[in-house]
Amino acid sequence: MRMNSLYAMNAGEGPQSYFLNSSYQGGVIDVAKPIIEEEINTKLDIKNLPNRFCIADFGCSTGHNSFPAIQIITQAINQKYKSPKITSGTLEFSVFFNDAITNDFGTLFRSLPPNIRYHAKAVPGDFHGRLLQEYSLHFAYSSWSLHWLSTVPEAVADSSSPAWNKGEILYTRDRKLVCDAYLDQYEKDIGSFLESRAVEIVSGGLMTLLVPAVPDFWNPEREYTVTSDISYLLGSCLVDMAKKGRFNEAKVDSFNLPYYFPTPEQLKAILSKNQSFTTERFEIINDPGKHTLASVNARAAFFRAIHERLLSNHFGSDIMDELFELYMKKLEASPVFKNPDNDKTIVILAVLKRKLI
Ligand SMILES: C[S@@+](CC[C@H](N)C(=O)[O-])C[C@H]1O[C@@H](n2cnc3c(N)ncnc32)[C@H](O)[C@@H]1O
């Protein structure tokens, strides 16, 4: 099974679903709205307006956060091109919803808002490779998805490597070699994503990326980030459960989460190496969605909706309730992690433009 087929978020619309537990990620949309509108108005540069304008969302999950973003994008394009094609209704929008093949596209299509004015299509597959026809895409969007790596870096899973990440489930700042291995994989993956999109996006087309990130400095005594919450709290729950004999300790050693949150400088450097796109905008957003996770239950449900498939595949589904109950207890007992005001995770909004081909 391909690694990314385990990445899909929890399906359906039930209490553990991503659909109901993704307000954190959805918080960025309102902040990004005026920036997306302005960039479409001033930078989108499609020479001959086509009859069919194509938009794609890479890593859309079950759509709940995708639909408002698509609405903003289509409205801004309509506004920009007050062309006869639009007023006469001959400009049609096609929206390609991409995610891993195991994503719950059924929930996405069942919950499409009524009266949408676009053709909705599913594009299952790995966004690190080609998914759409050559030079067919006018606007690409991706939010809270590009941090997912195509694979766990080999060295961190190799017990003979100096970068072996024994006893941890994600990189931590005190393990430099592990961090370097993750950053290296991240750079390769962003590179493959951009190379694939460079073949799909037309000259002058735009891409808006909302990428979770961490500041250059945050104080672990008083602050945390999503990644430190996962490595310190969720990771220590798994270690405790192994010590209690729920599973072998080697199971924890052999488990590493496949994602990376860069610093703004790291992402800027990676984007600037790309030859096909210019970076038109690079903004740091303080995601207001974090304040929707004020209760320990909400935070546990948020993490469970994201990680359950990967965790169950490795540790077994029968330990999930116990794991997240333990996580809630640890969260309740840690004043620093409990308070969403201490969450220093940021989101980078980058708008890239396809250079002339
Ligand atoms: C946290 S969700 C974000 C969903 C949505 N964009 C939002 O803002 O709420 C990340 C999504 O990226 C998808 N994903 C991760 N790696 C992928 C890949 N290589 N190809 C396609 N989708 C991927 C996951 O399956 C998941 O649905």
Side-chain angles (χ1 to χ4, degrees):
M1 183 160 36
R2 285 182 68 84
M3 180 86 193
N4 70 36
S5 58
L6 294 171
Y7 294 178
M9 307 289 102
N10 275 359
E13 296 174 44
Q16 314 285 8
S17 65
Y18 185 76
F19 194 93
L20 277 195
N21 294 292
S22 51
S23 51
Y24 187 123
Q25 295 90 330
V28 284
I29 298 168
D30 285 343
V31 188
K33 182 174 187 269
I35 305 174
I36 295 176
E37 288 170 344
E38 189 184 325
E39 292 299 302
I40 287 179
N41 189 27
T42 56
K43 310 276 176 54
L44 183 68
D45 190 13
I46 308 292
K47 283 292 168 263
N48 298 310
L49 191 61
N51 287 332
R52 198 169 77 116
F53 195 101
C54 296
I55 299 166
D57 181 1
F58 295 94
C60 61
S61 188
T62 37
H64 192 53
N65 291 333
S66 186
F67 304 142
I70 298 299
Q71 161 98 349
I72 291 165
I73 295 163
T74 50
Q75 274 180 354
I77 292 164
N78 275 331
Q79 189 64 26
K80 177 184 176 97
Y81 298 105
K82 290 192 189 88
S83 94
K85 279 186 186 171
I86 289 169
T87 37
S88 67
T90 52
L91 178 83
E92 295 197 323
F93 287 105
S94 281
V95 178
F96 298 96
F97 291 98
N98 158 257
D99 208 286
I101 50 171
T102 42
N103 181 54
D104 179 6
F105 285 102
T107 291
L108 182 146
F109 281 94
R110 266 195 307 278
S111 49
L112 273 168
N115 309 323
I116 49 164
R117 298 178 67 182
Y118 53 81
H119 303 283
K121 297 165 201 289
V123 181
D126 178 3
F127 57 47
H128 296 112
R130 281 284 311 285
L131 290 166
L132 298 168
Q133 273 182 344
E134 237 183 38
Y135 308 123
S136 62
L137 188 59
H138 302 95
F139 194 97
Y141 175 83
S142 183
S143 181
W144 276 93
S145 299
L146 288 185
H147 55 300
W148 286 92
L149 304 175
S150 59
T151 180
V152 169
E154 236 171 72
V156 308
D158 173 1
S159 60
S160 65
S161 155
W164 186 33
N165 201 20
K166 180 175 166 53
E168 300 282 355
I169 62 167
L170 189 58
Y171 56 90
T172 51
R173 292 198 306 185
D174 53 346
R175 291 193 178 177
K176 183 169 182 326
L177 292 179
V178 176
C179 291
D180 289 350
Y182 267 93
L183 174 58
D184 194 45
Q185 186 64 48
Y186 183 77
E187 177 161 5
K188 281 187 198 138
D189 287 339
I190 297 285
S192 320
F193 176 85
L194 294 177
E195 256 175 52
S196 303
R197 301 299 81 76
V199 185
E200 296 168 352
I201 298 179
V202 300
S203 289
L206 292 185
M207 174 148 68
T208 294
L209 307 176
L210 286 152
V211 180
V214 293
D216 288 313
F217 179 79
W218 48 270
N219 184 342
E221 310 271 301
R222 284 183 275 121
E223 299 162 341
Y224 68 93
T225 63
V226 164
T227 50
S228 71
D229 188 343
I230 292 293
S231 52
Y232 296 129
L233 287 192
L234 198 65
S236 71
C237 294
L238 286 163
V239 170
D240 289 358
M241 287 173 75
K243 286 196 175 122
K244 275 199 235 155
R246 294 284 184 274
F247 39 78
N248 198 308
E249 283 189 40
K251 273 258 175 223
V252 181
D253 295 342
S254 59
F255 182 75
N256 289 285
L257 285 163
Y259 52 73
Y260 183 76
F261 285 30
T263 64
E265 284 315 308
Q266 288 170 344
L267 184 63
K268 204 176 261 177
I270 294 172
L271 295 180
S272 69
K273 282 187 199 157
N274 185 272
Q275 302 293 313
S276 306
F277 294 95
T278 51
T279 304
E280 300 291 326
R281 192 102 178 216
F282 193 92
E283 302 266 339
I284 294 172
I285 293 179
N286 191 358
D287 185 349
K290 63 185 63 162
H291 298 291
T292 64
L293 300 187
S295 74
V296 294
N297 293 60
R299 183 98 68 88
F302 157 70
F303 280 142
R304 186 165 179 165
I306 298 169
H307 298 102
E308 184 154 6
R309 203 179 290 233
L310 273 167
L311 289 166
S312 324
N313 179 64
H314 191 84
F315 295 98
S317 52
D318 49 327
I319 65 128
M320 288 303 121
D321 288 344
E322 187 182 344
L323 172 62
F324 284 98
E325 268 154 36
L326 187 55
Y327 170 79
M328 283 194 278
K329 277 195 197 133
K330 285 198 189 243
L331 186 58
E332 190 65 59
S334 43
V336 168
F337 281 95
K338 208 178 136 189
N339 182 352
D341 287 336
N342 298 334
D343 179 0
K344 296 299 153 195
T345 312
I346 48 177
V347 172
I348 295 166
L349 189 163
V351 177
L352 310 186
K353 183 170 180 169
R354 180 70 176 97
K355 289 183 185 169
L356 290 184
I357 300 152

